[in-house]
Amino acid sequence: MLNSYYKDDIQTFINKSREEIIGEITLSNQFDSNRKQNKSWELQIYILQKVLKSYSGTIFFEFSIPRMGKRVDALVIIQNTVFVIEFKVGESQYHNINIEQVWDYALDLKNFHKPSHKALLVPILVATEAENSIIEIATTSHNDKLLLPIKVNQQDLQDAISTTLSFYTDKEQDISAEYAAGSYSPTPTIVEAALNLYRTHTVDEITRSDAEAKNLTETTSLISQVIKKAQIEKKKIICFVTGVPGAGKTLVGLKVATSHLDEENGNTSVYLSGNGPLVSILQEALARDKIKNEKENGRKLTKGKARASVKTFIQNIHHYRDAYLVDPKPPYDHVAIFDEAQRAWSKEQTVKFMKQKKGQHDFDFSEPEFLISCLDRHKDWSVIICLVGGGQEINTGEAGISEWLEAIKNRFSNWEVYISPNLVDSEYQAEEAITNLKEKTSVKLNPSLHLKVSMRSFRAENLSLLVKNILDLDYSSAIKTYSNLSTNYPIVLTRNVHKAKKWLKEKARGSERYGIIVSSQAQRLKPYAIDVKSPMNPVHWFLNDRDDVRSSYFLEDVATEFHVQGLELDWACVTWDGDLRYSKEGWKSFSFVGKKWQHIHKEERQKYLINAYRVLLTRARQGMVIVVPEGSNEDHTRKPEFYNSTFNYLKSIGFSEI
C-alpha cells in the first residue's frame, strides 16, 4: 500500500480553499514544510483546481515512491488514466534531469505497483514559466501503456490532459478506489538497497514482501538468532548462506551489518568483500548520499569524513586481512560477513602473495584459515557469515567454498557450523568437504540459509536457470526455460554492435542504466572499438550520470566480469568474443596470447571462463542484447568460424535476431 499527504475526489478538491488543502498536507505525517514549499503548493493547487473543473476522479498530493525515497507532487486519476505530475515552479526550461525524474516516478509505478500494471500512466513535467509546451502523445516500443513524458507550461496542462483522454480513456473502468491500496512490490538495485539500509537500517518499504521474497526475511532473522545465541552462550559459530545469482546475498550481508552498527551492545559487525569494484561503488554511493543529505540539512561534510564513517561497516576484505596481519589483537567487530566467500584465496595463492607482496616468508594459511583465525582471537564469542555464490569463481587462486570447510575441519573444529542444504549441489563442489567436516564438529543444515528466488530482475526470476541451461549445454531445458520468460524479459541477438547500442537506448527509459559488458579475455573486439585493456573506473561507470563520458551510458568504456560481479544494470549488451566457442562436444576455451588464440587446457581456467560468462549473462534486470560478431576472413584472429557456431546455438534457443 502506498500513501500520500493528501487524497480527495476531484470535485471536493476543487471546492476546498487552498489554505484548507495546504493545512491537510502539512498535518499528514508531520511534513516538514516551509514558506517556499507552501507557496509552491499554493500555485500547484491553483493550477489544478482550474484545470480539473470538468473532470471526476481522484487526486493525490505528495504520493509516495518508496524505492526512490521520493514523492510525486501530484497524481491525478481519471477513469483508468493516471497522470503523474511533477511541478517545477518558476522554471522556464525542460531540463533533462527533471524529465528523467518524472519518468522514473511513472516507471517505478508501472513496474512495481500492481494497479499501475494495466493502467495508462502519463508522466507530465510542468515548468510553470516555460514559453512553449511540447504535447506529444506517444508510446514506446515496450507497449506497456506508459507514455513518453509530456512537457508543458501551466497554461497548457489542461490541453495535455484533455488530449490524452481523447486518445485513451476507457469510460467503463475506474481504478481510483483501488489505486493507493494496491500492492507495491519493488526490487531495488544493490546500490538503492545499501543507501536505504545505511539511512534507516531497513529495506522493508523498498523491497518485495510477497511469499516468494519472504525467504530474505527468514534468512536475516535466522542469522540474527544465531548471533544472539553465540553472544549469550559464548560460542563461536560460522554460517554458510547460498543463493541463486541476484537472490539478495549481498543484501542479507548489508542488512546484518547495518543492524549491528550500535556499539553499546558489543556486537558490532562488519561487511567484507573481496570484490573491489563493489566495495568502491557502495562506499562512494553511500558517501555521496551522506554529503547530499547533510547539505540539504544546511551542514557541510567533506568527502573524506563521509567515506571514513562509511568504512566502519563496509570494507575491502584484503584491507581487513592486512590490518590484522600487523595487529595481533582481536578485531573490533564480533561479527564478520564475508560476501562472495567462494572467492577467497587458496593456501598456495595466499602464501605466494604474502611472500612476494607483504614480505611474510613464514605465512602458512589459506585466506579462509587466516580470516577465521582473526575472529577466533575473541575469548568469548564471535560469528562469521559466509555468503556463497555457486559457479562464480572467476579469478586465479579463488579456492571455492571447500577451502573454508577444510579450514574449520583442520584448525577450528571448536566452531559450530550452520550450512545451507544447497551447499551440497554440484556447482559448489563442497559435498565431500561437508561429509568430512561432520566427522569433526557440529554441522547443522537449515533451509532458511538458501535464497532460492532471484530478486535482481523483477521481470525474470528464471534468468539464472536459463543461463545455467545455456552454459551446461542443456539445450532442451534452455528452450523451455526461455519460453517461460521471453514475454517479460527480452533477449535479442545481433552481429552488429551499432544495432545493439541502438536497441539499448530505445529500451532504456528515465534513468534506467545500460552498458556494454564483456569477458576480460575478449581481446579481439578492438575492431568494434571495444578494448578490455583500456583503463576504466567502475565508480564512474556505475554511478555517474548520462552526460559523463566515463559513465556506462556513453557506451564507450566497457566493463568486465570483475567490474560487474555483484552489481546490476537495467539493460545490458553482452558482447561475445572468440574466447568461448560453442561446439557439440562442449565449450572450447581460448586465451589470446601475442598474436593468436591459444587453447586453454587447464580445467580450472576453463571453469573461470565459463563462470565469467555466467556473471555477464545474469547482470541485466530488464533485458539484454547479445552481440556475437560476424568476424572477418581477412583477419586470422577473427575468423567467422570462431563466432558462427556460438551465434547459431544461441539463436536456436529462441532468441530473436535484430
Side-chain angles (χ1 to χ4, degrees), residues 363-561:
F363 194 87
D364 192 38
F365 295 94
S366 68
E367 194 165 41
E369 283 176 333
F370 181 72
L371 293 170
I372 297 172
S373 76
C374 293
L375 275 295
D376 196 55
R377 296 174 191 176
H378 285 292
K379 299 297 183 189
D380 46 4
W381 70 278
S382 52
V383 174
I384 291 174
I385 314 296
C386 288
L387 307 174
V388 189
Q392 293 188 47
E393 301 88 353
I394 57 175
N395 212 343
T396 303
E398 291 178 359
I401 209 62
S402 59
E403 195 79 29
W404 287 87
L405 302 171
E406 287 293 320
I408 301 166
K409 178 174 75 76
N410 295 333
R411 298 196 185 217
F412 304 101
S413 57
N414 59 312
W415 282 62
E416 280 188 17
V417 184
Y418 286 69
I419 288 180
S420 156
N422 292 66
L423 208 62
V424 301
D425 288 356
S426 60
E427 61 195 286
Y428 299 104
Q429 300 180 338
E431 188 172 8
E432 184 181 345
I434 293 171
T435 302
N436 295 336
L437 182 61
K438 286 179 177 177
E439 297 173 2
K440 280 291 192 82
T441 190
S442 169
V443 177
K444 299 175 183 177
L445 302 181
N446 194 311
S448 292
L449 291 173
H450 178 67
L451 300 164
K452 59 182 180 292
V453 177
S454 175
M455 300 285 283
R456 172 176 293 130
S457 176
F458 53 91
R459 297 191 185 281
E461 290 170 351
N462 289 320
L463 178 63
S464 59
L465 176 60
L466 172 65
V467 172
K468 187 178 189 300
N469 295 156
I470 291 171
L471 295 176
D472 287 351
L473 300 179
D474 187 349
Y475 180 66
S476 57
S477 294
I479 292 172
K480 184 179 178 182
T481 305
Y482 182 59
S483 69
N484 291 332
L485 68 85
S486 57
T487 304
N488 291 323
Y489 189 95
I491 301 177
V492 296
L493 270 175
T494 184
R495 315 295 306 253
N496 188 300
V497 174
H498 296 294
K499 285 183 179 179
K501 290 180 178 182
K502 184 179 177 183
W503 187 86
L504 283 180
K505 291 175 180 178
E506 179 189 281
K507 287 296 178 185
R509 298 180 288 185
S511 63
E512 289 176 347
R513 187 167 286 275
Y514 53 85
I516 301 174
I517 53 180
V518 300
S519 156
S520 58
Q521 297 300 310
Q523 293 195 45
R524 289 309 299 140
L525 297 175
K526 282 185 180 179
Y528 311 103
I530 294 175
D531 184 3
V532 293
K533 297 299 182 184
S534 180
M536 60 83 75
N537 186 319
V539 170
H540 298 318
W541 199 84
F542 264 105
L543 296 181
N544 290 11
D545 295 330
R546 62 178 69 245
D547 61 349
D548 191 322
V549 296
R550 299 167 297 178
S551 77
S552 64
Y553 292 118
F554 253 73
L555 302 176
E556 290 185 4
D557 290 335
V558 299
T560 71
E561 69 272 19

Side-chain angles (χ1 to χ4, degrees), residues 116 129 131 136 155 307 518 652:
S116 296
E129 307 308 312
E131 191 173 329
E136 295 174 349
Q155 290 81 14
R307 281 183 176 146
V518 300
S652 68

Side-chain angles (χ1 to χ4, degrees), residues 78 117 119 125 145 249 505 518 542:
I78 301 171
H117 293 342
L125 174 64
K145 299 177 77 175
K249 296 182 292 294
K505 291 175 180 178
V518 300
F542 264 105

Side-chain angles (χ1 to χ4, degrees), residues 42 229 254-255 421 515 529 565 601:
E42 198 173 316
K229 172 186 170 74
L254 291 171
K255 171 71 173 168
Q565 190 174 43
H601 297 292

